[in-house]
Amino acid sequence: MDLVLRLTRLNVSTLTTLNRYRLFTSGIRWRNQRHFHTYTSNPTRTHFLSSVKGSLSPTSLFLTSTSRRFNICVTAFKPPSQRFTVIIQPKHQFHTSGSLRALPAPFIWLVLKPVQKVVAIILGRSIRKWWRALPPNKKQLFREWTWRRRWHLAGAGAGFMFLVSLFFLSHLDESPVTGRTRMLVFSRENFIELGKYTADAYMEEFKESLVPTSDPRHQAVELLVQHLTQRNQDIAEISSVSWNVHVVEGPTVNAFVLPNGEVFIFTGMLEAVSDIHQLAFILGHEMSHALIGHAAEQASLSHVVELLSLILLTAIWAICPRDSLAVLGHWIQSKLVQFTFDRPFSRKLEAEADQVGLQLAAKACADVRAGPVFWQQMEIAEQLKGEPNIPEWLSTHPSHQNRVRELNRLIPEALELRARCDCPALPSTDPRVTFSQNVQLILEDAKKQELMEKEEKIGKEKAGVMFPLPHTALVPAQGTQVRGLLATSALPQNSA
């Protein structure tokens, strides 16, 4: 079992002390690599580790113990290498003039994206005009030339596909936490740089509606974000980012986190959640997008699909006899790409953010059972507002029902992770059961009220008295009563 310590100074006497306790080093890993926190259930060993902790250097030393068992609270695990390398940095650093900051690669791609389409359209249209201007004999000669060199053209196509495959394989990357293999054309660092420009734009947009930092709502969100980051310091993508909170006054039920750690949440979201546990899950979900690098991953896929679709777009404008048909073909192609690649991939990333967000909330000692309840509340609120029910295949997000079903499947694993993180025991009452019972009671009361009004109306008709009845709401507006019936509790403040 591997145990990670943060050390402050490494010397020979320290290693001698560690050997006396029969702990053997298996490798040294520097701070810029992934590290993990562990929690031991042995009080003697805990005292020893805390006493050693103040005298060692800022590295992460991996220790192996075969005689003791430790309770590990980690989100992901990778075995350390048996070999270690020590990098010595010079104490004196040379100061040079700052270089000019180049624009992030994703920003350049966003600017060039519409230009690429225009070039493809112009090229396809030019090919069509050139073909039309050719006399019949030259068209026949061109067809014969193409047929004679069909194998050369097939070889060129195979070579192009080989280069595309080589490009794909050379840009594979492993997703943090989940370990999923993915393709990254743009790195997470590129999007962190882009996030700085995006954050400035949002700050300018919301400057009139930002909630002051002294507001209790801002302080509550900031404390919760700090708690989430402290309890998940074992994830390098969290510990290496500075997380800043911005609360925006507005009815929008939304929250998002930029790749550089800027957290934006609207007050409408704070009103939509029932308790601190649901808010911890929502913030964990949004932080998961940032730490995994979903923005870079989605832009990478979009970039590759866009480049390949330029070939099809050129062919559409070259083959279609009229511009109107080419425009129609262009529209059909864009919709096929949207519903075949973009939206299914977006739903996949949202489901992964739900999974990782549940783990982050579990390690922060939140009641992860409140996660599915939030999406049930959102479904009821949308029905009460009369919003149309969009099919999942048309949406960029999974449906509420599928989200609830998937989260319920993941909750047992999240509860096990929470138990390994030295969190206090949860109440025996499951908020999912409480919510279902309260909804059932409200539906039964509404049905009884409807029957009473119907009987009263029939009685007045029989008596010959027809007076208009005042309008009575059958269900609570905006789902506030449904949410109000859920018990709220404070989030345990155990530090990591």
Side-chain angles (χ1 to χ4, degrees), residues 178 180 281 285 288-289 292 294 343-359 375 392 396-399 402-403 406-407 409-410:
T178 61
R180 174 176 54 86
F281 167 71
H285 169 92
S288 299
H289 283 304
I292 298 176
H294 280 167
R343 296 198 177 182
F345 189 69
S346 177
R347 292 194 294 270
K348 176 183 176 181
L349 297 184
E350 290 293 331
E352 186 178 50
D354 278 347
Q355 175 187 356
V356 177
L358 201 66
Q359 295 178 9
W375 293 117
E392 185 180 76
T396 57
H397 290 62
S399 64
N402 286 340
R403 270 185 149 163
E406 184 64 18
L407 286 173
R409 185 184 69 84
L410 295 171

Side-chain angles (χ1 to χ4, degrees), residues 126-174:
S126 301
I127 293 174
R128 184 179 63 193
K129 288 186 176 182
W130 168 78
W131 181 256
R132 283 183 177 180
L134 284 179
N137 59 335
K138 289 190 176 182
K139 289 182 180 179
Q140 184 62 28
L141 290 174
F142 182 79
R143 293 190 185 98
E144 294 175 357
W145 178 87
T146 305
W147 178 252
R148 288 195 303 269
R149 290 166 174 77
R150 61 186 181 277
W151 297 114
H152 296 82
L153 296 175
F160 174 76
M161 295 304 298
F162 173 76
L163 292 176
V164 171
S165 302
L166 188 63
F167 175 84
F168 177 80
L169 293 175
S170 62
H171 286 80
L172 292 181
D173 182 70
E174 183 179 335

Side-chain angles (χ1 to χ4, degrees), residues 182 184 186 191 259 289-290 292-301 349:
R182 58 181 180 175
L184 278 187
F186 306 112
F191 269 81
H289 283 304
I292 298 176
H294 280 167
E297 188 175 352
Q298 197 162 16
S300 297
L301 177 69
L349 297 184

Side-chain angles (χ1 to χ4, degrees), residues 268-282:
M269 176 62 77
L270 299 180
E271 297 172 0
V273 296
S274 295
D275 52 37
I276 199 70
H277 304 286
Q278 291 186 7
L279 184 57
F281 167 71
I282 293 299

Side-chain angles (χ1 to χ4, degrees), residues 169-380:
L169 293 175
S170 62
H171 286 80
L172 292 181
D173 182 70
E174 183 179 335
S175 174
V177 181
T178 61
R180 174 176 54 86
T181 302
R182 58 181 180 175
M183 184 189 64
L184 278 187
V185 178
F186 306 112
S187 66
R188 181 172 174 267
E189 289 71 21
N190 292 144
F191 269 81
I192 288 177
E193 186 68 22
L194 181 62
K196 298 176 182 177
Y197 296 96
T198 309
D200 293 339
Y202 278 126
M203 292 298 290
E204 181 66 24
E205 179 182 354
F206 300 138
K207 63 180 181 180
E208 301 296 334
S209 54
L210 285 175
V211 172
T213 56
S214 58
D215 192 287
R217 294 171 296 179
H218 184 281
Q219 293 176 355
V221 176
E222 189 171 32
L223 285 174
L224 185 54
V225 170
Q226 290 176 1
H227 184 71
L228 283 167
T229 55
Q230 289 172 3
R231 295 287 297 185
N232 289 276
Q233 285 292 304
D234 58 290
I235 305 175
E237 288 77 11
I238 285 184
S239 59
S240 61
V241 174
S242 176
W243 302 88
N244 301 310
V245 174
H246 310 281
V247 179
V248 183
E249 188 76 47
T252 307
V253 183
N254 191 24
F256 58 92
V257 178
L258 299 180
N260 63 334
E262 300 293 328
V263 181
F264 290 85
I265 183 169
F266 291 83
T267 54
M269 176 62 77
L270 299 180
E271 297 172 0
V273 296
S274 295
D275 52 37
I276 199 70
H277 304 286
Q278 291 186 7
L279 184 57
F281 167 71
I282 293 299
L283 290 174
H285 169 92
E286 299 300 336
M287 291 170 65
S288 299
H289 283 304
L291 73 92
I292 298 176
H294 280 167
E297 188 175 352
Q298 197 162 16
S300 297
L301 177 69
S302 178
H303 180 64
V304 173
V305 172
E306 197 72 35
L307 289 177
L308 295 177
S309 64
L310 290 177
I311 302 173
L312 181 60
L313 181 60
T314 303
I316 289 174
W317 280 87
I319 295 173
C320 291
R322 295 191 302 273
D323 288 347
S324 58
L325 292 177
V327 170
L328 178 61
H330 184 188
W331 181 82
I332 293 175
Q333 179 226 6
S334 64
K335 293 302 177 183
L336 285 175
V337 170
Q338 185 177 7
F339 293 115
T340 307
F341 293 100
D342 294 343
R343 296 198 177 182
F345 189 69
S346 177
R347 292 194 294 270
K348 176 183 176 181
L349 297 184
E350 290 293 331
E352 186 178 50
D354 278 347
Q355 175 187 356
V356 177
L358 201 66
Q359 295 178 9
L360 299 183
K363 293 172 64 179
C365 298
D367 190 346
V368 292
R369 301 172 300 180
V373 176
F374 172 78
W375 293 117
Q376 290 176 317
Q377 291 174 193
M378 292 296 295
E379 182 179 13
I380 293 177

